[in-house]
Amino acid sequence: MAEELSNKGWLSKLKEGLKRTSNKITEGLESILVKKKLDKEMLEEIEDLLLSTDLGVPTTKSLIHVLEKNRFNQEVTSEEIKSFLAEEIAKSLSPYSSSLSIDKTFCPHVVLVVGVNGSGKTTTIGKLACFWRNQGKNIRLVAGDTFRAAAVEQLKVWGDRLNIPVETSKNGADPAGLAHEALQKSINAKDDLLMIDTAGRLHNKEDLMAELSKIIRVLKKLDPEAPHSSILVLDATIGQNALAQAETFKKIAGITGLIVTKLDGTAKGGVLVALAEKFQLPIHAIGVGEGIEDLKPFEPQAFANSLVDL
Ligand SMILES: Nc1nc2c(ncn2[C@@H]2O[C@H](COP(=O)(O)OP(=O)(O)O)[C@@H](O)[C@H]2O)c(=O)[nH]1
Ligand SMILES: [Mg+2]
C-alpha cells in the first residue's frame, strides 16, 4: 500500500500531522543545547524530552546510549541531534514498514478490524475502502459493531458515499452470525475484499474476547484461513496506554498488523516507535486526520524525519 496510498503532498501532510510531537522535540532541543558540548546533564534532558513524546523507556535508552557513544563531549547543534535521532529511529523502524496488500488467491481477502471504541476503526475502514475502491476492487463491508446504532450508521454512510455494499443486522444481533452471512455473500459475489468492523468494549474483556473469537470461528467454517488479516487500530493520543491495549488484543485476536491513528492530535507520536519495537508487528498505515485522504503510508524515514521536524 506504501506507494499506492501516497497522494500528492502526502509528505507535507505527514509533517503537518506530526507537528505537535515535532514542535515539542524542536523546542526542547533548542532549550537544552544552549551550551554546546554534549555533557551528562544535556543527555539526561534529552532523555526526558524523548520520554515525554512517549518513545518509551527501551527505545529512549538505546537512542541516548548511541548518542553518548558517538557525540559525548563534542560540540553539537540541535539540527545534528535531530538528524541523528531521525536516522536511528528510521533504522529501528525499517523492519516494520509493510503495506497491506490484497491477496488475490483469497476470494475474498478477509480483513478483521479490531480496537477499542473510538480508536478510529470505522473511519479507517472507510479510508481503506476508498483507496481500494479507487483501485477497482470489489469490496464489501460488515457493520460488526452491532450494539451501537451510530456505529452501523457511520459505516453505512461510508458505504453509500463509496457505493460499496454494507452488511448490517438488527441492533444487538450476534455479530458472528452477521459476519458468517456476509462472508457467504462475499464468496458468492466473488468479492476481492471483505472488511469486518467490530465492537471494542474493552471494559468487559471476557465478552469481547468471546465475541471476537466467535467471529473468527464462524469465518473459518467458510474459509479455514480467514481472517487473512487482523488489524488492530490504535489511537496515538493515548500514548503508552496503547501498549497495554495492543497486548490485550494480541491475546484476543492474534493481530497481524497495526494502524496507528490520530497522530495529528498528539505530542505523543513517539508511541508508534515503542509499539513497533515491542510487538514487532508491521505498521500498515498511519492516520493523520479525519478526512478520507488522511490515511498515509507508513514509511520509516519519512515518519522519523517528520517526527523530529527535519
Ligand atoms: N484527528 C484524527 N481523528 C481521527 C483519526 N482517525 C479517526 N479519527 C476520529 O476519531 C473518532 C472516532 O473514530 P471511529 O472511526 O468512529 O472509531 P471506532 O469507534 O474505533 O470505530 C471520529 O471522530 C474520527 O473522525 C485520525 O487519524 N486523526
Ligand atoms: Mg466504529
Side-chain angles (χ1 to χ4, degrees), residues 54 114-121 124 232-246 249 258-272 275 285-287:
D54 279 59
V114 302
V116 304
N117 283 345
S119 60
K121 292 180 295 300
T124 300
L232 172 60
V233 176
L234 290 166
D235 170 353
T237 62
I238 64 170
Q240 290 290 302
N241 290 331
L243 291 152
Q245 282 184 8
F249 277 96
L258 305 175
I259 290 181
V260 181
T261 63
K262 307 191 199 178
L263 280 159
D264 54 306
T266 181
K268 297 175 174 180
V271 71
L272 182 143
L275 280 164
I286 55 179

PDB file of all heavy atoms in Angstrom, residues 54 114-121 124 232-246 249 258-272 275 285-287:
ATOM      1  N   ASP A  54       6.566   9.889  24.430  1.00  0.00           N
ATOM      2  CA  ASP A  54       6.118   8.501  24.513  1.00  0.00           C
ATOM      3  C   ASP A  54       6.901   7.511  23.642  1.00  0.00           C
ATOM      4  O   ASP A  54       6.378   6.484  23.241  1.00  0.00           O
ATOM      5  CB  ASP A  54       4.601   8.380  24.259  1.00  0.00           C
ATOM      6  CG  ASP A  54       3.825   8.711  25.519  1.00  0.00           C
ATOM      7  OD1 ASP A  54       3.982   9.831  26.032  1.00  0.00           O
ATOM      8  OD2 ASP A  54       3.102   7.840  26.031  1.00  0.00           O
ATOM      9  N   VAL A 114     -10.011  -4.614  14.498  1.00  0.00           N
ATOM     10  CA  VAL A 114     -10.325  -4.585  15.932  1.00  0.00           C
ATOM     11  C   VAL A 114      -9.664  -3.386  16.613  1.00  0.00           C
ATOM     12  O   VAL A 114      -8.752  -2.767  16.073  1.00  0.00           O
ATOM     13  CB  VAL A 114      -9.874  -5.903  16.629  1.00  0.00           C
ATOM     14  CG1 VAL A 114     -10.530  -7.108  15.980  1.00  0.00           C
ATOM     15  CG2 VAL A 114      -8.363  -6.055  16.620  1.00  0.00           C
ATOM     16  N   GLY A 115     -10.134  -3.100  17.828  1.00  0.00           N
ATOM     17  CA  GLY A 115      -9.583  -1.983  18.593  1.00  0.00           C
ATOM     18  C   GLY A 115     -10.662  -1.426  19.504  1.00  0.00           C
ATOM     19  O   GLY A 115     -11.851  -1.708  19.291  1.00  0.00           O
ATOM     20  N   VAL A 116     -10.280  -0.639  20.496  1.00  0.00           N
ATOM     21  CA  VAL A 116     -11.281  -0.126  21.440  1.00  0.00           C
ATOM     22  C   VAL A 116     -12.176   0.922  20.766  1.00  0.00           C
ATOM     23  O   VAL A 116     -11.807   1.494  19.741  1.00  0.00           O
ATOM     24  CB  VAL A 116     -10.643   0.477  22.725  1.00  0.00           C
ATOM     25  CG1 VAL A 116      -9.754  -0.530  23.428  1.00  0.00           C
ATOM     26  CG2 VAL A 116      -9.877   1.732  22.406  1.00  0.00           C
ATOM     27  N   ASN A 117     -13.325   1.146  21.365  1.00  0.00           N
ATOM     28  CA  ASN A 117     -14.240   2.180  20.876  1.00  0.00           C
ATOM     29  C   ASN A 117     -13.506   3.511  20.767  1.00  0.00           C
ATOM     30  O   ASN A 117     -12.798   3.898  21.688  1.00  0.00           O
ATOM     31  CB  ASN A 117     -15.409   2.364  21.844  1.00  0.00           C
ATOM     32  CG  ASN A 117     -16.434   1.257  21.713  1.00  0.00           C
ATOM     33  OD1 ASN A 117     -16.428   0.503  20.728  1.00  0.00           O
ATOM     34  ND2 ASN A 117     -17.304   1.143  22.705  1.00  0.00           N
ATOM     35  N   GLY A 118     -13.702   4.170  19.658  1.00  0.00           N
ATOM     36  CA  GLY A 118     -13.123   5.493  19.497  1.00  0.00           C
ATOM     37  C   GLY A 118     -11.706   5.509  18.954  1.00  0.00           C
ATOM     38  O   GLY A 118     -11.140   6.576  18.717  1.00  0.00           O
ATOM     39  N   SER A 119     -11.124   4.335  18.734  1.00  0.00           N
ATOM     40  CA  SER A 119      -9.731   4.321  18.270  1.00  0.00           C
ATOM     41  C   SER A 119      -9.625   4.730  16.800  1.00  0.00           C
ATOM     42  O   SER A 119      -8.556   5.132  16.340  1.00  0.00           O
ATOM     43  CB  SER A 119      -9.106   2.943  18.482  1.00  0.00           C
ATOM     44  OG  SER A 119      -9.819   1.969  17.766  1.00  0.00           O
ATOM     45  N   GLY A 120     -10.729   4.608  16.069  1.00  0.00           N
ATOM     46  CA  GLY A 120     -10.701   5.018  14.663  1.00  0.00           C
ATOM     47  C   GLY A 120     -10.947   3.874  13.688  1.00  0.00           C
ATOM     48  O   GLY A 120     -10.655   4.004  12.495  1.00  0.00           O
ATOM     49  N   LYS A 121     -11.502   2.768  14.170  1.00  0.00           N
ATOM     50  CA  LYS A 121     -11.730   1.607  13.293  1.00  0.00           C
ATOM     51  C   LYS A 121     -12.613   1.922  12.090  1.00  0.00           C
ATOM     52  O   LYS A 121     -12.229   1.671  10.953  1.00  0.00           O
ATOM     53  CB  LYS A 121     -12.431   0.470  14.073  1.00  0.00           C
ATOM     54  CG  LYS A 121     -11.609  -0.188  15.133  1.00  0.00           C
ATOM     55  CD  LYS A 121     -12.397  -1.284  15.821  1.00  0.00           C
ATOM     56  CE  LYS A 121     -13.612  -0.792  16.603  1.00  0.00           C
ATOM     57  NZ  LYS A 121     -13.326   0.153  17.687  1.00  0.00           N
ATOM     58  N   THR A 124     -11.135   4.347   9.665  1.00  0.00           N
ATOM     59  CA  THR A 124     -10.020   3.742   8.936  1.00  0.00           C
ATOM     60  C   THR A 124     -10.528   2.775   7.871  1.00  0.00           C
ATOM     61  O   THR A 124      -9.985   2.721   6.758  1.00  0.00           O
ATOM     62  CB  THR A 124      -9.068   3.030   9.926  1.00  0.00           C
ATOM     63  OG1 THR A 124      -8.576   4.008  10.859  1.00  0.00           O
ATOM     64  CG2 THR A 124      -7.896   2.383   9.216  1.00  0.00           C
ATOM     65  N   LEU A 232      -5.181  -4.281  14.105  1.00  0.00           N
ATOM     66  CA  LEU A 232      -5.503  -3.557  15.330  1.00  0.00           C
ATOM     67  C   LEU A 232      -5.329  -2.061  15.068  1.00  0.00           C
ATOM     68  O   LEU A 232      -4.258  -1.611  14.639  1.00  0.00           O
ATOM     69  CB  LEU A 232      -4.578  -4.008  16.462  1.00  0.00           C
ATOM     70  CG  LEU A 232      -4.671  -3.203  17.767  1.00  0.00           C
ATOM     71  CD1 LEU A 232      -6.069  -3.263  18.362  1.00  0.00           C
ATOM     72  CD2 LEU A 232      -3.649  -3.711  18.778  1.00  0.00           C
ATOM     73  N   VAL A 233      -6.393  -1.298  15.332  1.00  0.00           N
ATOM     74  CA  VAL A 233      -6.334   0.154  15.169  1.00  0.00           C
ATOM     75  C   VAL A 233      -6.093   0.769  16.543  1.00  0.00           C
ATOM     76  O   VAL A 233      -6.842   0.523  17.494  1.00  0.00           O
ATOM     77  CB  VAL A 233      -7.651   0.688  14.552  1.00  0.00           C
ATOM     78  CG1 VAL A 233      -7.641   2.210  14.473  1.00  0.00           C
ATOM     79  CG2 VAL A 233      -7.865   0.088  13.167  1.00  0.00           C
ATOM     80  N   LEU A 234      -5.042   1.568  16.652  1.00  0.00           N
ATOM     81  CA  LEU A 234      -4.671   2.172  17.928  1.00  0.00           C
ATOM     82  C   LEU A 234      -4.635   3.688  17.813  1.00  0.00           C
ATOM     83  O   LEU A 234      -4.140   4.236  16.825  1.00  0.00           O
ATOM     84  CB  LEU A 234      -3.282   1.682  18.348  1.00  0.00           C
ATOM     85  CG  LEU A 234      -3.175   0.220  18.771  1.00  0.00           C
ATOM     86  CD1 LEU A 234      -1.721  -0.215  18.813  1.00  0.00           C
ATOM     87  CD2 LEU A 234      -3.842  -0.013  20.130  1.00  0.00           C
ATOM     88  N   ASP A 235      -5.146   4.342  18.839  1.00  0.00           N
ATOM     89  CA  ASP A 235      -5.202   5.795  18.894  1.00  0.00           C
ATOM     90  C   ASP A 235      -3.909   6.314  19.550  1.00  0.00           C
ATOM     91  O   ASP A 235      -3.634   6.013  20.712  1.00  0.00           O
ATOM     92  CB  ASP A 235      -6.449   6.137  19.742  1.00  0.00           C
ATOM     93  CG  ASP A 235      -6.549   7.610  20.116  1.00  0.00           C
ATOM     94  OD1 ASP A 235      -5.609   8.372  19.853  1.00  0.00           O
ATOM     95  OD2 ASP A 235      -7.599   7.974  20.681  1.00  0.00           O
ATOM     96  N   ALA A 236      -3.120   7.076  18.795  1.00  0.00           N
ATOM     97  CA  ALA A 236      -1.821   7.538  19.310  1.00  0.00           C
ATOM     98  C   ALA A 236      -1.962   8.513  20.479  1.00  0.00           C
ATOM     99  O   ALA A 236      -1.046   8.640  21.297  1.00  0.00           O
ATOM    100  CB  ALA A 236      -1.022   8.203  18.191  1.00  0.00           C
ATOM    101  N   THR A 237      -3.129   9.171  20.590  1.00  0.00           N
ATOM    102  CA  THR A 237      -3.244  10.196  21.640  1.00  0.00           C
ATOM    103  C   THR A 237      -3.229   9.590  23.044  1.00  0.00           C
ATOM    104  O   THR A 237      -3.023  10.304  24.008  1.00  0.00           O
ATOM    105  CB  THR A 237      -4.536  11.047  21.486  1.00  0.00           C
ATOM    106  OG1 THR A 237      -5.667  10.188  21.624  1.00  0.00           O
ATOM    107  CG2 THR A 237      -4.596  11.725  20.140  1.00  0.00           C
ATOM    108  N   ILE A 238      -3.427   8.280  23.151  1.00  0.00           N
ATOM    109  CA  ILE A 238      -3.411   7.674  24.484  1.00  0.00           C
ATOM    110  C   ILE A 238      -1.990   7.294  24.904  1.00  0.00           C
ATOM    111  O   ILE A 238      -1.775   6.782  25.996  1.00  0.00           O
ATOM    112  CB  ILE A 238      -4.350   6.451  24.593  1.00  0.00           C
ATOM    113  CG1 ILE A 238      -3.882   5.316  23.675  1.00  0.00           C
ATOM    114  CG2 ILE A 238      -5.782   6.848  24.267  1.00  0.00           C
ATOM    115  CD1 ILE A 238      -4.618   4.006  23.917  1.00  0.00           C
ATOM    116  N   GLY A 239      -1.028   7.562  24.034  1.00  0.00           N
ATOM    117  CA  GLY A 239       0.378   7.357  24.404  1.00  0.00           C
ATOM    118  C   GLY A 239       0.678   5.932  24.826  1.00  0.00           C
ATOM    119  O   GLY A 239       0.238   4.976  24.191  1.00  0.00           O
ATOM    120  N   GLN A 240       1.402   5.816  25.929  1.00  0.00           N
ATOM    121  CA  GLN A 240       1.874   4.494  26.380  1.00  0.00           C
ATOM    122  C   GLN A 240       0.738   3.496  26.652  1.00  0.00           C
ATOM    123  O   GLN A 240       0.969   2.287  26.635  1.00  0.00           O
ATOM    124  CB  GLN A 240       2.743   4.639  27.630  1.00  0.00           C
ATOM    125  CG  GLN A 240       4.099   5.309  27.364  1.00  0.00           C
ATOM    126  CD  GLN A 240       5.048   4.425  26.554  1.00  0.00           C
ATOM    127  OE1 GLN A 240       5.378   3.319  26.951  1.00  0.00           O
ATOM    128  NE2 GLN A 240       5.471   4.915  25.398  1.00  0.00           N
ATOM    129  N   ASN A 241      -0.482   3.992  26.906  1.00  0.00           N
ATOM    130  CA  ASN A 241      -1.599   3.058  27.116  1.00  0.00           C
ATOM    131  C   ASN A 241      -1.872   2.196  25.890  1.00  0.00           C
ATOM    132  O   ASN A 241      -2.471   1.128  25.996  1.00  0.00           O
ATOM    133  CB  ASN A 241      -2.888   3.810  27.470  1.00  0.00           C
ATOM    134  CG  ASN A 241      -2.795   4.422  28.846  1.00  0.00           C
ATOM    135  OD1 ASN A 241      -2.098   3.901  29.714  1.00  0.00           O
ATOM    136  ND2 ASN A 241      -3.478   5.534  29.045  1.00  0.00           N
ATOM    137  N   ALA A 242      -1.421   2.671  24.741  1.00  0.00           N
ATOM    138  CA  ALA A 242      -1.608   1.896  23.515  1.00  0.00           C
ATOM    139  C   ALA A 242      -0.877   0.558  23.613  1.00  0.00           C
ATOM    140  O   ALA A 242      -1.295  -0.439  23.015  1.00  0.00           O
ATOM    141  CB  ALA A 242      -1.112   2.690  22.307  1.00  0.00           C
ATOM    142  N   LEU A 243       0.201   0.543  24.380  1.00  0.00           N
ATOM    143  CA  LEU A 243       0.970  -0.707  24.521  1.00  0.00           C
ATOM    144  C   LEU A 243       0.146  -1.767  25.253  1.00  0.00           C
ATOM    145  O   LEU A 243       0.135  -2.932  24.866  1.00  0.00           O
ATOM    146  CB  LEU A 243       2.284  -0.439  25.267  1.00  0.00           C
ATOM    147  CG  LEU A 243       3.284   0.399  24.468  1.00  0.00           C
ATOM    148  CD1 LEU A 243       4.199   1.187  25.372  1.00  0.00           C
ATOM    149  CD2 LEU A 243       4.092  -0.458  23.524  1.00  0.00           C
ATOM    150  N   ALA A 244      -0.561  -1.333  26.285  1.00  0.00           N
ATOM    151  CA  ALA A 244      -1.392  -2.277  27.043  1.00  0.00           C
ATOM    152  C   ALA A 244      -2.547  -2.783  26.184  1.00  0.00           C
ATOM    153  O   ALA A 244      -2.894  -3.966  26.209  1.00  0.00           O
ATOM    154  CB  ALA A 244      -1.924  -1.601  28.307  1.00  0.00           C
ATOM    155  N   GLN A 245      -3.123  -1.879  25.390  1.00  0.00           N
ATOM    156  CA  GLN A 245      -4.215  -2.304  24.507  1.00  0.00           C
ATOM    157  C   GLN A 245      -3.724  -3.321  23.486  1.00  0.00           C
ATOM    158  O   GLN A 245      -4.401  -4.308  23.197  1.00  0.00           O
ATOM    159  CB  GLN A 245      -4.789  -1.099  23.760  1.00  0.00           C
ATOM    160  CG  GLN A 245      -5.716  -0.266  24.608  1.00  0.00           C
ATOM    161  CD  GLN A 245      -6.339   0.865  23.812  1.00  0.00           C
ATOM    162  OE1 GLN A 245      -6.212   0.954  22.590  1.00  0.00           O
ATOM    163  NE2 GLN A 245      -7.021   1.747  24.513  1.00  0.00           N
ATOM    164  N   ALA A 246      -2.556  -3.059  22.940  1.00  0.00           N
ATOM    165  CA  ALA A 246      -2.011  -3.982  21.936  1.00  0.00           C
ATOM    166  C   ALA A 246      -1.790  -5.355  22.557  1.00  0.00           C
ATOM    167  O   ALA A 246      -2.077  -6.388  21.941  1.00  0.00           O
ATOM    168  CB  ALA A 246      -0.708  -3.424  21.367  1.00  0.00           C
ATOM    169  N   PHE A 249      -5.275  -7.086  22.872  1.00  0.00           N
ATOM    170  CA  PHE A 249      -5.848  -7.530  21.601  1.00  0.00           C
ATOM    171  C   PHE A 249      -5.015  -8.617  20.934  1.00  0.00           C
ATOM    172  O   PHE A 249      -5.542  -9.448  20.205  1.00  0.00           O
ATOM    173  CB  PHE A 249      -6.078  -6.350  20.661  1.00  0.00           C
ATOM    174  CG  PHE A 249      -7.360  -5.638  20.938  1.00  0.00           C
ATOM    175  CD1 PHE A 249      -7.390  -4.503  21.732  1.00  0.00           C
ATOM    176  CD2 PHE A 249      -8.561  -6.126  20.440  1.00  0.00           C
ATOM    177  CE1 PHE A 249      -8.584  -3.856  22.013  1.00  0.00           C
ATOM    178  CE2 PHE A 249      -9.753  -5.488  20.715  1.00  0.00           C
ATOM    179  CZ  PHE A 249      -9.771  -4.356  21.500  1.00  0.00           C
ATOM    180  N   LEU A 258      -0.711  -3.419  12.454  1.00  0.00           N
ATOM    181  CA  LEU A 258      -1.240  -2.266  13.184  1.00  0.00           C
ATOM    182  C   LEU A 258      -1.512  -1.084  12.254  1.00  0.00           C
ATOM    183  O   LEU A 258      -0.814  -0.903  11.252  1.00  0.00           O
ATOM    184  CB  LEU A 258      -0.220  -1.778  14.229  1.00  0.00           C
ATOM    185  CG  LEU A 258       0.318  -2.770  15.260  1.00  0.00           C
ATOM    186  CD1 LEU A 258       1.390  -2.080  16.103  1.00  0.00           C
ATOM    187  CD2 LEU A 258      -0.809  -3.288  16.140  1.00  0.00           C
ATOM    188  N   ILE A 259      -2.512  -0.298  12.633  1.00  0.00           N
ATOM    189  CA  ILE A 259      -2.680   1.025  12.044  1.00  0.00           C
ATOM    190  C   ILE A 259      -2.781   1.997  13.220  1.00  0.00           C
ATOM    191  O   ILE A 259      -3.572   1.782  14.139  1.00  0.00           O
ATOM    192  CB  ILE A 259      -3.926   1.098  11.133  1.00  0.00           C
ATOM    193  CG1 ILE A 259      -3.681   0.264   9.864  1.00  0.00           C
ATOM    194  CG2 ILE A 259      -4.252   2.559  10.769  1.00  0.00           C
ATOM    195  CD1 ILE A 259      -4.823   0.258   8.852  1.00  0.00           C
ATOM    196  N   VAL A 260      -1.944   3.012  13.222  1.00  0.00           N
ATOM    197  CA  VAL A 260      -1.928   3.978  14.325  1.00  0.00           C
ATOM    198  C   VAL A 260      -2.598   5.263  13.835  1.00  0.00           C
ATOM    199  O   VAL A 260      -2.181   5.838  12.825  1.00  0.00           O
ATOM    200  CB  VAL A 260      -0.483   4.245  14.799  1.00  0.00           C
ATOM    201  CG1 VAL A 260      -0.475   5.237  15.958  1.00  0.00           C
ATOM    202  CG2 VAL A 260       0.196   2.934  15.221  1.00  0.00           C
ATOM    203  N   THR A 261      -3.641   5.682  14.544  1.00  0.00           N
ATOM    204  CA  THR A 261      -4.429   6.850  14.118  1.00  0.00           C
ATOM    205  C   THR A 261      -4.160   8.066  15.002  1.00  0.00           C
ATOM    206  O   THR A 261      -3.500   7.971  16.037  1.00  0.00           O
ATOM    207  CB  THR A 261      -5.934   6.548  14.212  1.00  0.00           C
ATOM    208  OG1 THR A 261      -6.251   6.307  15.586  1.00  0.00           O
ATOM    209  CG2 THR A 261      -6.326   5.347  13.379  1.00  0.00           C
ATOM    210  N   LYS A 262      -4.702   9.184  14.582  1.00  0.00           N
ATOM    211  CA  LYS A 262      -4.709  10.443  15.342  1.00  0.00           C
ATOM    212  C   LYS A 262      -3.322  10.944  15.700  1.00  0.00           C
ATOM    213  O   LYS A 262      -3.131  11.605  16.720  1.00  0.00           O
ATOM    214  CB  LYS A 262      -5.564  10.304  16.612  1.00  0.00           C
ATOM    215  CG  LYS A 262      -6.982   9.787  16.326  1.00  0.00           C
ATOM    216  CD  LYS A 262      -7.876   9.909  17.523  1.00  0.00           C
ATOM    217  CE  LYS A 262      -9.088   8.995  17.378  1.00  0.00           C
ATOM    218  NZ  LYS A 262      -9.976   9.031  18.512  1.00  0.00           N
ATOM    219  N   LEU A 263      -2.360  10.618  14.839  1.00  0.00           N
ATOM    220  CA  LEU A 263      -1.014  11.138  15.079  1.00  0.00           C
ATOM    221  C   LEU A 263      -1.003  12.653  14.956  1.00  0.00           C
ATOM    222  O   LEU A 263      -0.097  13.326  15.455  1.00  0.00           O
ATOM    223  CB  LEU A 263      -0.021  10.495  14.112  1.00  0.00           C
ATOM    224  CG  LEU A 263       0.412   9.086  14.557  1.00  0.00           C
ATOM    225  CD1 LEU A 263       0.960   8.284  13.395  1.00  0.00           C
ATOM    226  CD2 LEU A 263       1.454   9.160  15.680  1.00  0.00           C
ATOM    227  N   ASP A 264      -2.026  13.202  14.305  1.00  0.00           N
ATOM    228  CA  ASP A 264      -2.133  14.654  14.159  1.00  0.00           C
ATOM    229  C   ASP A 264      -2.607  15.328  15.431  1.00  0.00           C
ATOM    230  O   ASP A 264      -2.478  16.530  15.587  1.00  0.00           O
ATOM    231  CB  ASP A 264      -3.131  14.991  13.031  1.00  0.00           C
ATOM    232  CG  ASP A 264      -4.484  14.317  13.250  1.00  0.00           C
ATOM    233  OD1 ASP A 264      -4.492  13.085  13.427  1.00  0.00           O
ATOM    234  OD2 ASP A 264      -5.512  15.006  13.261  1.00  0.00           O
ATOM    235  N   GLY A 265      -3.152  14.545  16.366  1.00  0.00           N
ATOM    236  CA  GLY A 265      -3.759  15.193  17.525  1.00  0.00           C
ATOM    237  C   GLY A 265      -2.957  15.015  18.796  1.00  0.00           C
ATOM    238  O   GLY A 265      -3.500  15.126  19.884  1.00  0.00           O
ATOM    239  N   THR A 266      -1.653  14.742  18.680  1.00  0.00           N
ATOM    240  CA  THR A 266      -0.910  14.397  19.879  1.00  0.00           C
ATOM    241  C   THR A 266       0.562  14.777  19.804  1.00  0.00           C
ATOM    242  O   THR A 266       1.129  14.845  18.714  1.00  0.00           O
ATOM    243  CB  THR A 266      -1.009  12.871  20.143  1.00  0.00           C
ATOM    244  OG1 THR A 266      -0.300  12.558  21.328  1.00  0.00           O
ATOM    245  CG2 THR A 266      -0.435  12.055  18.988  1.00  0.00           C
ATOM    246  N   ALA A 267       1.148  15.020  20.979  1.00  0.00           N
ATOM    247  CA  ALA A 267       2.598  15.216  21.054  1.00  0.00           C
ATOM    248  C   ALA A 267       3.237  13.900  21.496  1.00  0.00           C
ATOM    249  O   ALA A 267       4.397  13.864  21.894  1.00  0.00           O
ATOM    250  CB  ALA A 267       2.929  16.340  22.025  1.00  0.00           C
ATOM    251  N   LYS A 268       2.451  12.825  21.439  1.00  0.00           N
ATOM    252  CA  LYS A 268       2.946  11.519  21.873  1.00  0.00           C
ATOM    253  C   LYS A 268       3.217  10.596  20.683  1.00  0.00           C
ATOM    254  O   LYS A 268       3.065   9.374  20.781  1.00  0.00           O
ATOM    255  CB  LYS A 268       1.915  10.869  22.793  1.00  0.00           C
ATOM    256  CG  LYS A 268       1.695  11.656  24.070  1.00  0.00           C
ATOM    257  CD  LYS A 268       0.590  11.053  24.901  1.00  0.00           C
ATOM    258  CE  LYS A 268       0.502  11.797  26.236  1.00  0.00           C
ATOM    259  NZ  LYS A 268      -0.570  11.250  27.077  1.00  0.00           N
ATOM    260  N   GLY A 269       3.574  11.207  19.560  1.00  0.00           N
ATOM    261  CA  GLY A 269       3.779  10.441  18.334  1.00  0.00           C
ATOM    262  C   GLY A 269       4.859   9.375  18.441  1.00  0.00           C
ATOM    263  O   GLY A 269       4.908   8.436  17.656  1.00  0.00           O
ATOM    264  N   GLY A 270       5.727   9.527  19.452  1.00  0.00           N
ATOM    265  CA  GLY A 270       6.799   8.558  19.640  1.00  0.00           C
ATOM    266  C   GLY A 270       6.271   7.166  19.982  1.00  0.00           C
ATOM    267  O   GLY A 270       6.982   6.177  19.829  1.00  0.00           O
ATOM    268  N   VAL A 271       5.002   7.105  20.398  1.00  0.00           N
ATOM    269  CA  VAL A 271       4.454   5.816  20.811  1.00  0.00           C
ATOM    270  C   VAL A 271       4.458   4.803  19.664  1.00  0.00           C
ATOM    271  O   VAL A 271       4.555   3.597  19.882  1.00  0.00           O
ATOM    272  CB  VAL A 271       3.025   5.970  21.403  1.00  0.00           C
ATOM    273  CG1 VAL A 271       2.005   6.313  20.332  1.00  0.00           C
ATOM    274  CG2 VAL A 271       2.623   4.704  22.148  1.00  0.00           C
ATOM    275  N   LEU A 272       4.411   5.301  18.445  1.00  0.00           N
ATOM    276  CA  LEU A 272       4.454   4.387  17.308  1.00  0.00           C
ATOM    277  C   LEU A 272       5.756   3.582  17.302  1.00  0.00           C
ATOM    278  O   LEU A 272       5.758   2.383  17.019  1.00  0.00           O
ATOM    279  CB  LEU A 272       4.309   5.179  16.002  1.00  0.00           C
ATOM    280  CG  LEU A 272       4.284   4.344  14.728  1.00  0.00           C
ATOM    281  CD1 LEU A 272       3.323   4.936  13.724  1.00  0.00           C
ATOM    282  CD2 LEU A 272       5.666   4.220  14.119  1.00  0.00           C
ATOM    283  N   LEU A 275       5.605   0.970  20.011  1.00  0.00           N
ATOM    284  CA  LEU A 275       4.721  -0.134  19.618  1.00  0.00           C
ATOM    285  C   LEU A 275       5.411  -1.091  18.653  1.00  0.00           C
ATOM    286  O   LEU A 275       5.367  -2.312  18.820  1.00  0.00           O
ATOM    287  CB  LEU A 275       3.470   0.421  18.919  1.00  0.00           C
ATOM    288  CG  LEU A 275       2.373   0.978  19.804  1.00  0.00           C
ATOM    289  CD1 LEU A 275       1.419   1.835  18.979  1.00  0.00           C
ATOM    290  CD2 LEU A 275       1.618  -0.146  20.503  1.00  0.00           C
ATOM    291  N   ALA A 285      -0.267   1.454   8.026  1.00  0.00           N
ATOM    292  CA  ALA A 285      -0.582   2.826   7.629  1.00  0.00           C
ATOM    293  C   ALA A 285      -0.730   3.664   8.883  1.00  0.00           C
ATOM    294  O   ALA A 285      -0.820   3.120   9.994  1.00  0.00           O
ATOM    295  CB  ALA A 285      -1.879   2.856   6.818  1.00  0.00           C
ATOM    296  N   ILE A 286      -0.772   4.985   8.699  1.00  0.00           N
ATOM    297  CA  ILE A 286      -0.977   5.872   9.850  1.00  0.00           C
ATOM    298  C   ILE A 286      -2.053   6.904   9.517  1.00  0.00           C
ATOM    299  O   ILE A 286      -2.178   7.339   8.377  1.00  0.00           O
ATOM    300  CB  ILE A 286       0.329   6.583  10.282  1.00  0.00           C
ATOM    301  CG1 ILE A 286       0.956   7.335   9.111  1.00  0.00           C
ATOM    302  CG2 ILE A 286       1.332   5.580  10.839  1.00  0.00           C
ATOM    303  CD1 ILE A 286       2.228   8.073   9.477  1.00  0.00           C
ATOM    304  N   GLY A 287      -2.806   7.270  10.560  1.00  0.00           N
ATOM    305  CA  GLY A 287      -3.864   8.258  10.382  1.00  0.00           C
ATOM    306  C   GLY A 287      -3.397   9.615  10.872  1.00  0.00           C
ATOM    307  O   GLY A 287      -2.925   9.746  11.995  1.00  0.00           O
TER     308      GLY A 287
END
